[in-house]
Amino acid sequence: QTISCLPRSFEYSQKNAVLVPAAALGLGGMLLYWLRSGRKIKTIDVGDGWWGSGERPLQRKEDESIRPFKIETSDKEIEDLHRRLDHFRFTPHVEGAAFHYGFNSSYLRKVVAYWRNQFDWRKQVEVLNKYPHFHTTIEGIDIHFIHVKPSYVPHGRTVQPLLMVHGWPGSFYEFYKIIPLLTEPARHGLNEGDVVFEVICPSIPGYGFSEAPHQKGFDSIATARIFHKLMNRLGFKEYYLQGGDWGSRITTNMAQMLPQSVKGLHLNLVFIGKQSLGRMICVMLGAYVPWLVGLSREDARRSYPFMQKNVYDVLRESGYLHIQATKPDTAGCGLNDSPVGLAAYILEKFSTWTDKSFLHKDDGGLESKYSLDELLTNVMIYWVTSSIVSSMRYYKENFSKDPDLSAVSRYGVYVPTGIAAFPQEIVHTPRVWAKDVYKNIITFSYMPRGGHFAAFEEPKLLAQDIMQFVRKVEKL
């Protein structure tokens, strides 16, 4: 009897050998799926804030009205500027200095002469006022923004709201050349079934015509919250975001804070502060076998020699950052008193951040990419609003809390993301590194030319990339 049972017992164990692991695998898969589907995406706490002067009023409700605003000037303002320019004290530069020591003083003399005798601020005010400007009060301070709607929307075309955020030392004016491409693409040869945008460009609080925070601690997360409130106040529940420089950090925080409100995030600069053993190995092997560590040939070309491009060049270009991240008011007060000092400090960035090779040019290459009218209009936005000090403080508020700008890397970005990598950007972030934070990259474009101020310098290239990205997101 025992012997006769052996074949059945053996058959039963064979079935068990197959069924038990299969059942365990199935149950494990179901458990893993349940855990993953039940786990919420970690988001930045929205919180709240008060940045107005003094204590927050306990009972008075904030004025949520949207108020039309117009930039104005006066004879007194222009006369004061001319008087200060007339007293410019020239400092001779070292022979052959070009822009290696900073702004070349001989070229600065030319810029000042143009500013004093040919630049027409009244005319530029008219240019600035060609788009509708507004103010609204959020968390105790007045927020300035322009809001441009398309003049004509083709039948069946959906208008997508797009918030575009500038950085330092830029302003909302950086977007003046790209706005018509986005709001009226058909007029500019971009009518390839592209979406049409209405564009909202706010000034970061403390920059230009947005009121400076009166309290300590105003960082990119506070800015992200305020800009979400702005979009809600304008009636938008979902919207696209675009940013470079600080605008990249702010819009990334917006996506990490309220992902349900962000249809897509487009960036032309990516901050990845987190270092790791894997990153070090990637850097060491990338120069020899880039494919082995996920780098493309173009990534390798833009990233190596690594020490030169990611250490020496960055150190040379970031001296301002250390000042502004520690004691911004000291240098800032001097810049706020001297239009020539302000222009030299700001315009030097528009030289080497546009193209690193401009370091070797006596004129910094500035007029090869921009006109003096454009450059001085951006400087004037800082000058007439006395906002250089408060704009510089933004570095201290952010770096004092997060010295390597890596804290927000703990929060993944899960919204659809598009990245436009311009070849002359200060640093290049390969896609494989960007994926550490941006988990849903839909487009990653190696742009053929251009630098840090993409919208100002290469508006058509950037507009085309934004449209390509949004078109793909809308098809998802």
Side-chain angles (χ1 to χ4, degrees):
Q1 192 175 357
T2 306
I3 293 169
S4 65
C5 287
L6 281 175
R8 269 186 288 175
S9 151
F10 177 71
E11 189 182 341
Y12 182 73
S13 359
Q14 273 193 316
K15 283 181 183 176
N16 271 0
V18 175
L19 289 175
V20 171
L25 190 65
L27 286 170
M30 288 172 66
L31 180 62
L32 183 64
Y33 174 80
W34 179 78
L35 286 170
R36 286 176 66 87
S37 61
R39 188 178 64 193
K40 287 186 177 179
I41 293 171
K42 189 178 179 183
T43 58
I44 293 175
D45 181 42
V46 176
D48 200 6
W50 170 257
W51 309 105
S53 183
E55 295 291 323
R56 185 175 200 159
L58 294 176
Q59 297 187 356
R60 192 177 69 198
K61 193 172 184 291
E62 190 163 74
D63 177 9
E64 296 186 357
S65 63
I66 307 289
R67 305 178 292 277
F69 170 74
K70 195 171 183 179
I71 300 170
E72 296 177 343
T73 188
S74 65
D75 290 340
K76 185 179 177 182
E77 183 174 75
I78 295 170
E79 287 165 6
D80 176 64
L81 172 67
H82 286 173
R83 179 182 60 80
R84 292 169 187 263
L85 294 176
D86 285 338
H87 289 89
F88 166 45
R89 293 200 301 174
F90 176 73
T91 304
H93 59 80
V94 178
E95 290 181 15
F99 262 57
H100 287 276
Y101 286 69
F103 205 103
N104 184 288
S105 58
S106 289
Y107 181 62
L108 182 59
R109 181 183 265 173
K110 178 191 171 184
V111 172
V112 171
Y114 182 88
W115 199 359
R116 173 63 179 86
N117 302 312
Q118 293 174 260
F119 179 76
D120 188 343
W121 175 232
R122 290 188 185 280
K123 180 183 173 185
Q124 294 308 114
V125 165
E126 289 179 14
V127 171
L128 291 175
N129 282 327
K130 76 176 182 178
Y131 294 132
H133 293 249
F134 302 91
H135 266 153
T136 190
T137 306
I138 304 177
E139 298 188 7
I141 52 177
D142 283 347
I143 306 301
H144 162 262
F145 64 98
I146 57 175
H147 186 180
V148 188
K149 299 179 182 180
S151 56
Y152 167 72
V153 181
H155 179 70
R157 193 74 56 87
T158 303
V159 179
Q160 300 291 349
L162 174 66
L163 181 83
M164 303 188 78
V165 186
H166 67 88
W168 187 92
S171 65
F172 66 93
Y173 178 59
E174 283 181 69
F175 302 117
Y176 267 51
K177 289 186 278 189
I178 198 172
I179 286 171
L181 307 182
L182 297 170
T183 57
E184 300 175 315
R187 286 191 182 182
H188 300 89
L190 298 174
N191 191 26
E192 302 171 6
D194 298 307
V195 291
V196 177
F197 295 94
E198 59 179 292
V199 180
I200 301 92
C201 300
S203 294
I204 298 171
Y207 289 68
F209 299 99
S210 274
E211 186 178 354
H214 298 267
Q215 312 294 330
K216 293 191 291 184
F218 187 85
D219 59 6
S220 62
I221 292 174
T223 315
R225 181 178 62 245
I226 282 178
F227 286 172
H228 269 309
K229 288 181 178 181
L230 170 63
M231 294 302 278
N232 287 335
R233 196 169 290 184
L234 292 172
F236 301 117
K237 301 299 182 192
E238 290 184 310
Y239 31 88
Y240 285 93
L241 304 174
Q242 202 287 324
D245 197 85
W246 280 124
S248 168
R249 169 92 168 182
I250 293 163
T251 53
T252 294
N253 289 164
M254 291 177 75
Q256 293 166 321
M257 185 178 286
L258 291 170
Q260 66 273 23
S261 296
V262 180
K263 293 184 77 176
L265 169 68
H266 187 278
L267 306 172
N268 56 279
L269 174 63
V270 172
F271 289 106
I272 301 290
K274 186 177 69 173
Q275 300 301 322
S276 63
L277 179 61
R279 181 73 50 80
M280 288 174 62
I281 293 170
C282 184
V283 167
M284 287 188 289
L285 296 178
Y288 308 102
V289 281
W291 51 269
L292 189 63
V293 288
L295 300 183
S296 69
R297 274 188 194 170
E298 186 61 19
D299 288 329
R301 193 180 70 79
R302 294 187 183 192
S303 302
Y304 296 93
F306 190 84
M307 289 299 289
Q308 178 64 51
K309 293 186 175 181
N310 296 273
V311 180
Y312 303 143
D313 287 355
V314 171
L315 283 172
R316 185 191 66 227
E317 295 299 329
S318 59
Y320 80 98
L321 187 150
H322 189 72
I323 292 170
Q324 294 178 192
T326 52
K327 297 184 178 179
D329 287 31
T330 306
C333 288
L335 300 176
N336 193 51
D337 190 57
S338 167
V340 178
L342 181 68
Y345 195 71
I346 287 177
L347 296 187
E348 182 245 308
K349 305 307 177 195
F350 281 87
S351 169
T352 47
W353 292 5
T354 297
D355 190 318
K356 299 174 187 73
S357 70
F358 288 172
L359 194 72
H360 310 297
K361 294 177 178 285
D362 289 340
D363 64 355
L366 283 167
E367 293 178 74
S368 64
K369 290 289 185 176
Y370 318 101
S371 71
L372 284 181
D373 280 343
E374 290 170 344
L375 292 168
L376 289 171
T377 297
N378 183 65
V379 173
M380 285 294 289
I381 289 169
Y382 283 87
W383 177 254
V384 300
T385 58
S386 294
S387 59
I388 187 62
V389 178
S390 50
S391 75
M392 291 164 71
R393 285 177 189 153
Y394 201 63
Y395 285 76
K396 182 171 179 65
E397 302 295 14
N398 281 284
F399 280 94
S400 61
K401 295 178 183 177
D402 186 8
D404 61 357
L405 296 184
S406 65
V408 294
S409 299
R410 297 195 303 267
Y411 303 87
V413 175
Y414 294 89
V415 305
T417 302
I419 297 171
F422 285 83
Q424 290 296 329
E425 185 54 87
I426 301 164
V427 290
H428 174 68
T429 301
R431 180 175 186 150
V432 68
W433 296 359
K435 283 166 65 178
D436 288 347
V437 176
Y438 301 92
K439 311 295 186 181
N440 188 12
I441 298 175
I442 304 297
T443 62
F444 188 100
S445 308
Y446 297 98
M447 308 305 281
R449 62 186 179 277
H452 187 73
F453 303 98
F456 204 33
E457 181 193 346
E458 296 288 349
K460 193 163 187 176
L461 281 180
L462 184 61
Q464 287 171 328
D465 200 71
I466 294 169
M467 288 176 170
Q468 177 197 8
F469 164 67
V470 171
R471 197 185 305 129
K472 285 192 175 183
V473 173
E474 290 297 309
K475 288 178 180 176
L476 292 178

